[in-house]
Amino acid sequence: MNTTLPPFLQATSGALGSAVGNALVYPLDVATTRMQNNARRPHYERLNLRDTLSHLLSKKTYISDLYSGIEADTLSTLLSNFIYFYTYTSLQKGVHIWHTRHPVPPSQPISASPAGIGGLSSKASESLPRVTQPNPLEELLIGVISGLVSKGISLPISTICVRQQIENDQDETNLNPNAKSTYNNNNKRSLVDSLRAIYAEQGIEGLFSGFTPTIPLTLLPSLTLYTHSLLIRLILPKRYHKNPPAVVTFLLGALSNALATIPLYPLVLIKVLSQSGRDKGKDAKKIGMLETLVRIIRRGGIRTLYTGLEGQLVKGFVQQGVMMLVKQRIEQGIVKAYASRGRAVTA
């Protein structure tokens, strides 16, 4: 993300890239959400990714089921990613300006001497203060702040999307017979209707379900971006660092998302379970994340914490790869347009 484009343009390119990637893999998103929501069931009763997709495709209304909630999810993706990239790039540029105004002096001043004598150099640049980019800790803090701002604002829309994705889930209604009358009649709800229904049922707290696990999950975008930058530096020759080939950009973006997702996935599961609104009665009691993790493990073992992981990884592999690719291409197009305009003016 170290480009010279203004934050608004970087945010726009990132949001559009995320929306395109999300639309391509949305059926996988629906299947993954349903798998995560059924983590309450014993392991032998849960469907894997292939069977979940087959179950969705076997229904007469499979098109509407496969894309249920896509309006809310697209809006959430655009809003969340625009705010994230805008906040991230603004803070990053702010830190860079601060470093420019407060340069770091070299730890060991180099005395001027003839080149080659004693292995010392007489280059003036080596004895001047250094202007640095944000260090890893600063990058991490910038990512956390950006994630809190973006997810905090878009969380109600994300909650609506989860509710719409699990509507008419036959596996869930088998688990809870009372759920059919509650959810099946709501399959035609619009985004606004769903918003009102959640607010009427649970109040403002229901709209912000899953906020607690969202806080540590704000590490995910920054970890993904940091991993992506690290992979580029480690794998590619220096001449390709600024403009990697399209295929490499896709693959490294997808790989970085997978590497960042795996350690944080149990929090993704807890967030979806909180947003589903299916816990009733005693299960609706407020409990912390740690207690929720313990309950899930007691119910089905450690492996239950990774219910739906395969769907999340496949979805993230395509979505993140497409996002980084589209973002890069939009930014390159803007740079070329500005360059062409500059040449036309000077001609």
Side-chain angles (χ1 to χ4, degrees):
M1 291 182 59
N2 295 323
T3 71
T4 57
L5 291 178
F8 179 82
L9 293 178
Q10 290 199 52
T12 302
S13 62
L16 290 175
S18 297
V20 172
N22 184 70
L24 290 175
V25 298
Y26 191 75
L28 275 175
D29 194 15
V30 175
T32 301
T33 300
R34 294 198 175 192
M35 292 170 64
Q36 292 165 337
N37 185 55
N38 287 326
R40 300 178 180 88
R41 308 186 71 170
H43 175 72
Y44 59 86
E45 292 184 8
R46 297 195 296 266
L47 300 178
N48 57 29
L49 179 61
R50 184 190 64 183
D51 293 339
T52 302
L53 286 171
S54 298
H55 179 69
L56 285 168
L57 291 170
S58 66
K59 296 182 178 181
K60 294 181 179 179
T61 57
Y62 67 90
I63 294 296
S64 60
D65 282 341
L66 283 174
Y67 290 92
S68 57
I70 191 170
E71 297 89 353
D73 194 59
T74 301
L75 178 59
S76 176
T77 300
L78 284 170
L79 182 62
S80 175
N81 282 277
F82 180 87
I83 295 173
Y84 179 85
F85 279 103
Y86 187 86
T87 306
Y88 190 101
T89 51
S90 297
L91 291 174
Q92 191 181 54
K93 290 180 183 294
V95 171
H96 178 69
I97 292 172
W98 189 91
H99 280 304
T100 303
R101 294 176 179 175
H102 303 82
V104 180
S107 56
Q108 294 181 348
I110 301 175
S111 301
S113 64
I117 299 179
L120 298 176
S121 171
S122 60
K123 293 181 180 179
S125 61
E126 294 185 357
S127 61
L128 294 176
R130 300 191 305 273
V131 178
T132 62
Q133 293 289 337
N135 59 48
L137 179 59
E138 290 170 337
E139 289 278 8
L140 187 61
L141 289 174
I142 288 172
V144 170
I145 294 171
S146 304
L148 283 174
V149 173
S150 63
K151 296 300 182 183
I153 293 175
S154 63
L155 190 59
I157 305 176
S158 174
T159 301
I160 292 171
C161 176
V162 170
R163 298 288 181 96
Q164 292 179 339
Q165 286 179 333
I166 63 175
E167 284 172 358
N168 300 322
D169 185 356
Q170 189 62 37
D171 292 332
E172 178 67 16
T173 55
N174 288 338
L175 175 65
N176 182 5
N178 296 325
K180 185 174 182 178
S181 60
T182 305
Y183 291 96
N184 279 11
N185 294 329
N186 298 331
N187 58 349
K188 298 299 182 181
R189 278 180 178 169
S190 65
L191 192 151
V192 175
D193 290 338
S194 298
L195 184 70
R196 290 173 177 170
I198 295 173
Y199 182 79
E201 182 182 349
Q202 296 178 288
I204 195 70
E205 186 177 355
L207 294 174
F208 286 90
S209 300
F211 182 74
T212 302
T214 295
I215 296 175
L217 281 175
T218 55
L219 292 169
L220 185 56
S222 57
L223 282 176
T224 301
L225 291 172
Y226 181 78
T227 305
H228 183 261
S229 300
L230 182 63
L231 290 174
I232 287 178
R233 292 197 299 269
L234 291 176
I235 296 175
L236 299 182
K238 192 172 183 179
R239 65 180 182 274
Y240 293 119
H241 284 186
K242 289 187 178 180
N243 295 304
V247 175
V248 175
T249 297
F250 177 88
L251 292 176
L252 292 186
L255 179 60
S256 63
N257 179 264
L259 292 175
T261 297
I262 291 174
L264 295 174
Y265 184 76
L267 297 176
V268 175
L269 178 66
I270 293 174
K271 178 173 177 282
V272 171
L273 290 175
S274 300
Q275 291 178 309
S276 68
R278 296 292 175 94
D279 289 329
K280 306 294 180 181
K282 294 180 180 180
D283 291 334
K285 181 184 68 174
K286 294 181 181 179
I287 58 175
M289 277 196 307
L290 182 59
E291 187 176 349
T292 302
L293 286 170
V294 171
R295 282 188 174 189
I296 294 174
I297 293 172
R298 286 178 177 174
R299 186 177 297 164
I302 295 290
R303 64 190 303 180
T304 309
L305 294 177
Y306 292 90
T307 302
L309 176 62
E310 63 270 35
Q312 189 79 19
L313 290 179
V314 174
K315 178 187 74 171
F317 188 90
V318 178
Q319 185 178 16
Q320 186 70 20
V322 171
M323 187 274 284
M324 297 301 294
L325 181 60
V326 173
K327 183 177 185 294
Q328 182 193 59
R329 291 296 176 259
I330 291 175
E331 291 179 357
Q332 288 177 350
I334 293 172
V335 170
K336 288 181 180 178
Y338 271 103
S340 301
R341 182 178 178 183
R343 288 194 296 268
V345 171
T346 56

